[in-house]
Amino acid sequence: MARRPLPRILSNGTAQIARSRELARTAADSATDVLHPLITITKGLRRLASAGRRRWTDTPKDKRGPLLFLVAAVILVVALVPYGPLLAAIILMAAAAWHGRDRTPPAPEGPDESQTQRLQSLYEALVPYFSTAEDPAPLFAHGGDWEKAFPAYEFDGAGRISHLVVRYPAYFTDGEADSRARIEQLLTAKSGRSREYHFAWDEEGNQLTIGVLAPLPTDIAAQRFVTAPGETVLGFTDPTQVHRTLPLTHGEEQRDVPPVVWRTGIRSTEPNLLVMGQPGSGTSTLLRSIALQALQYGDVLIVEGGGTGEYACLTGRDGVLAVECGLSGALASLEWAAHETERRLIAANRARQSGHPAPDDTRRPLWIILDRPSAFAHVAAADGYKDPQSLLQVPLRHGRAANVTVVVADQFDSADTLSDAVRQHTRARVVLGPATAAQLEAVLGAPPHTTPIAQVPPGRGYARLGNGPVHRLQVPATPDPYDDATNDAHRQAVLALLPPRTTPADAAETVATEAVVEAAVAETS
């Protein structure tokens, strides 16, 4: 049977509604233009009536009688004079139109004296970079006209530049990163170093657009994010960078914030993550946030090289295989993780060859989280053990096919101790805390389109997933709930996300060690 087409009202109802709204809006604008004189006179009459009422209220009671007599006399004279009522009506309408006019002062056209001086000084500072002696008609010249070079500009309430469009000559080498970096550094210094700027280079149109970025929210606490399995929220960024928002709860308020979502799993192109930062920059906070999200759908193995107990709250929790802080425990756990990755690969391969789906025990995601693994390198070399990072080669290389994800976090001063496997197989990168442009480019593989500032809150930085763009990032507040200096609201938010404790804390390490030993025995047999 042939399918009947939808009624016309259903097929193009949206377009008709849009046209109807546009017609209604046009009619309302036309009516406002036609009735504008009447609206002005009505507003003026209301203001005159209010003024008369205030005058009557302010008049003493002993003088209200003579005032009434005077008003009555004036009305009588106007009524007796030829054309008096008509003249009185004309005068009243004129007074109402005068009092009902729009008294909003017009916006000043063009910059004031201080703004002009700021633009002129910025123009003079750009002359050495945007001019050459061979140019017969230079756009930038000492004592030249800045209005041709700056076609658009805006200032904030403090008189500083908040938006600026710069035209530059076509011979400027805008395709070279060093040339762009010099201009961005100069504009940042002349516009104010305490703010973060976004630079958009239009190489075809020879224009540079500078905008001031609003600070990212730092008050978003850890919570259950609306994501699909295999999606992890690293933090939040600018609304112009991503085309997705997440509904978040902030106290009693609900708001939508654009996230930076990292996708893991078999079809992920960036299955592993590397986090770099300075001490106190929030790398452990990000790892705790990732662990709490991973525990919704998988198992987590944590190795902490700092030995500060940042992950003690996860010990013995459901889904947490182990939380290791010592060298021996780290080696045993990572060796088990390598064997588990190989076992999953073999089981999945046998199932595919037999034409069966992968076993259930290979589908559950396994997360290996390492915080400061470089701290074990010196201790392992002194005691004659191998570096724990050498055991990450199999999970890093083949973990995606086995649903194994590796997250490594370390500090800039220990970047040289990271193994080649960690450097090569972590395509998702995050940099937190203050960092120079060279450090950002070295870790992320590309410079950000914003200017990094010296003072940043914890958890603030940049993120890049594979070959994608560099995003500004603010990690959700996920502190250690056992820290006395933690905000109580953030502590309760983290405690609410923790899985139930199925294994006593003092027995968790023993159970994990036994599991590692049993797996090693099974492999050897």
Side-chain angles (χ1 to χ4, degrees):
M1 181 183 295
R3 297 181 61 183
R4 298 180 60 186
L6 291 174
R8 189 173 182 181
I9 186 64
L10 297 179
S11 60
N12 58 357
T14 304
Q16 291 182 356
I17 293 174
R19 285 195 297 270
S20 301
R21 290 178 178 176
E22 186 64 26
L23 290 175
R25 191 179 297 108
T26 304
D29 294 340
S30 301
T32 302
D33 294 338
V34 172
L35 299 177
H36 181 70
L38 182 60
I39 295 173
T40 302
I41 292 175
T42 304
K43 188 184 300 182
L45 290 175
R46 187 169 61 252
R47 291 178 179 175
L48 289 175
S50 299
R53 190 181 305 108
R54 288 195 302 269
R55 180 63 182 273
W56 175 260
T57 303
D58 296 339
T59 302
K61 293 184 179 181
D62 55 344
K63 295 182 179 180
R64 291 182 180 179
L67 180 60
L68 286 174
F69 178 76
L70 178 61
V71 172
V74 171
I75 295 175
L76 180 62
V77 170
V78 171
L80 295 178
V81 172
Y83 303 104
L86 180 60
L87 293 175
I90 293 174
I91 294 173
L92 180 61
M93 293 299 104
W98 175 258
H99 286 279
R101 72 187 188 281
D102 188 7
R103 301 181 182 182
T104 304
E109 297 182 359
D112 56 21
E113 183 178 355
S114 62
Q115 296 173 351
T116 302
Q117 184 178 0
R118 183 181 289 270
L119 291 173
Q120 184 65 35
S121 63
L122 184 60
Y123 173 84
E124 295 289 341
L126 292 172
V127 169
Y129 301 92
F130 288 151
S131 64
T132 59
E134 294 80 9
D135 193 350
L139 180 61
F140 285 82
H142 291 292
D145 186 10
W146 59 265
E147 294 183 356
K148 296 180 181 179
F150 303 148
Y153 50 85
E154 294 178 7
F155 293 86
D156 57 12
R160 297 187 299 177
I161 296 175
S162 60
H163 176 77
L164 181 66
V165 177
V166 180
R167 293 179 53 209
Y168 55 86
Y171 53 76
F172 176 71
T173 56
D174 52 3
E176 299 179 2
D178 294 338
S179 300
R180 294 197 302 267
R182 286 194 295 267
I183 299 301
E184 294 175 0
Q185 183 180 5
L186 174 64
L187 293 173
T188 301
K190 293 296 182 180
S191 302
R193 295 182 182 272
S194 60
R195 300 181 296 174
E196 198 166 3
Y197 300 89
H198 179 267
F199 297 94
W201 291 86
D202 182 8
E203 299 179 4
E204 295 181 354
N206 299 322
Q207 283 191 354
L208 170 61
T209 303
I210 304 103
V212 178
L213 296 174
L216 295 176
T218 59
D219 55 351
I220 299 177
Q223 54 191 280
R224 291 297 181 202
F225 303 115
V226 183
T227 56
E231 292 184 343
T232 303
V233 177
L234 299 179
F236 306 95
T237 184
D238 300 299
T240 58
Q241 297 293 320
V242 296
H243 305 287
R244 175 182 177 181
T245 59
L246 288 181
L248 301 179
T249 302
H250 177 62
E252 298 180 354
E253 300 179 357
Q254 295 283 341
R255 54 179 173 176
D256 295 337
V257 181
V260 177
V261 178
W262 173 39
R263 293 175 176 84
T264 58
I266 297 179
R267 293 176 177 82
S268 173
T269 57
E270 302 87 23
N272 304 306
L273 175 69
L274 175 62
V275 183
M276 299 295 294
Q278 301 287 355
S281 59
T283 56
S284 298
T285 298
L286 176 57
L287 264 58
R288 265 191 302 271
S289 176
I290 293 175
L292 291 176
Q293 297 179 63
L295 287 173
Q296 292 183 264
Y297 309 105
D299 299 325
V300 176
L301 172 63
I302 300 175
V303 176
E304 180 189 359
T308 57
E310 294 282 345
Y311 307 93
C313 60
L314 296 172
T315 303
R317 300 286 178 175
D318 188 14
V320 180
L321 301 180
V323 179
E324 299 292 346
C325 300
L327 177 60
S328 59
L331 289 172
S333 298
L334 294 180
E335 187 173 0
W336 171 84
H339 292 315
E340 174 66 13
T341 304
E342 295 175 351
R343 186 197 66 79
R344 290 184 175 211
L345 289 173
I346 295 173
N349 186 33
R350 289 175 178 174
R352 294 191 193 97
Q353 292 179 356
S354 303
H356 300 291
D360 294 338
D361 58 351
T362 64
R363 295 181 182 180
R364 184 171 176 83
L366 172 62
W367 290 72
I368 305 173
I369 299 178
L370 294 91
D371 192 354
R372 292 200 63 194
S374 61
F376 292 120
H378 178 71
V379 179
D383 295 343
Y385 294 101
K386 56 184 177 181
D387 189 352
Q389 294 186 61
S390 62
L391 300 172
L392 294 176
Q393 188 169 2
V394 173
L396 286 170
R397 287 179 177 272
H398 309 288
R400 178 175 60 179
N403 276 325
V404 177
T405 302
V406 180
V407 180
V408 180
D410 220 311
Q411 299 178 2
F412 281 116
D413 54 2
S414 304
D416 296 337
T417 61
L418 293 176
S419 64
D420 293 337
V422 173
R423 296 173 182 270
Q424 295 175 5
H425 299 285
T426 51
R427 291 175 45 83
R429 302 289 182 89
V430 173
V431 177
L432 297 179
T436 63
Q439 289 175 329
L440 291 174
E441 188 171 1
V443 176
L444 301 176
H449 293 288
T450 61
T451 54
I453 55 180
Q455 301 294 332
V456 294
R460 175 70 175 79
Y462 296 90
R464 189 185 186 205
L465 305 178
N467 297 325
V470 179
H471 300 283
R472 286 205 307 164
L473 181 72
Q474 178 62 51
V475 177
T478 316
D480 180 11
Y482 296 163
D483 188 0
D484 296 336
T486 302
N487 181 279
D488 186 66
H490 294 166
R491 177 189 292 108
Q492 296 300 327
V494 174
L495 292 176
L497 297 178
L498 291 175
R501 178 166 285 167
T502 56
T503 305
D506 53 354
E509 184 176 356
T510 303
V511 173
T513 305
E514 291 177 354
V516 172
V517 173
E518 291 176 0
V521 171
E523 285 292 332
T524 55
S525 60

